[in-house]
Amino acid sequence: MRPNFLIIGLLVLIAVVGIYMSSDPGQSERLSQMYRDAAFQGEAREYVLFALAVGIGGFILYLTMTRR
């Protein structure tokens, strides 16, 4: 089987499951609540964003220094 067909098949499967999950109001509500519960809030969110900024900045600095 060619990889292109496999990727297209997986994308179609994800779309069908997404449509099914969003069509059920109870499931949509549970998913929405799960996303709210899993999100960082308050000070933890600031720490995570700061760590991401430092990590991305460090990666850019690494790429800048190693490309000569």
Side-chain angles (χ1 to χ4, degrees):
M1 182 174 218
R2 292 178 44 173
N4 291 342
F5 291 128
L6 183 62
I7 291 171
I8 291 172
L10 288 173
L11 289 174
V12 168
L13 179 66
I14 289 170
V16 169
V17 169
I19 290 170
Y20 173 74
M21 293 296 241
S22 64
S23 67
D24 180 18
Q27 184 66 23
S28 294
E29 186 178 328
R30 287 191 296 273
L31 277 174
S32 180
Q33 183 64 37
M34 181 195 69
Y35 291 144
R36 281 193 297 272
D37 291 343
F40 290 112
Q41 295 178 1
E43 207 170 308
R45 182 182 199 139
E46 292 178 18
Y47 288 136
V48 169
L49 289 175
F50 179 73
L52 281 172
V54 169
I56 291 171
F59 183 66
I60 291 172
L61 182 65
Y62 166 76
L63 288 178
T64 304
M65 296 304 229
T66 57
R67 297 278 183 175
R68 295 177 191 228

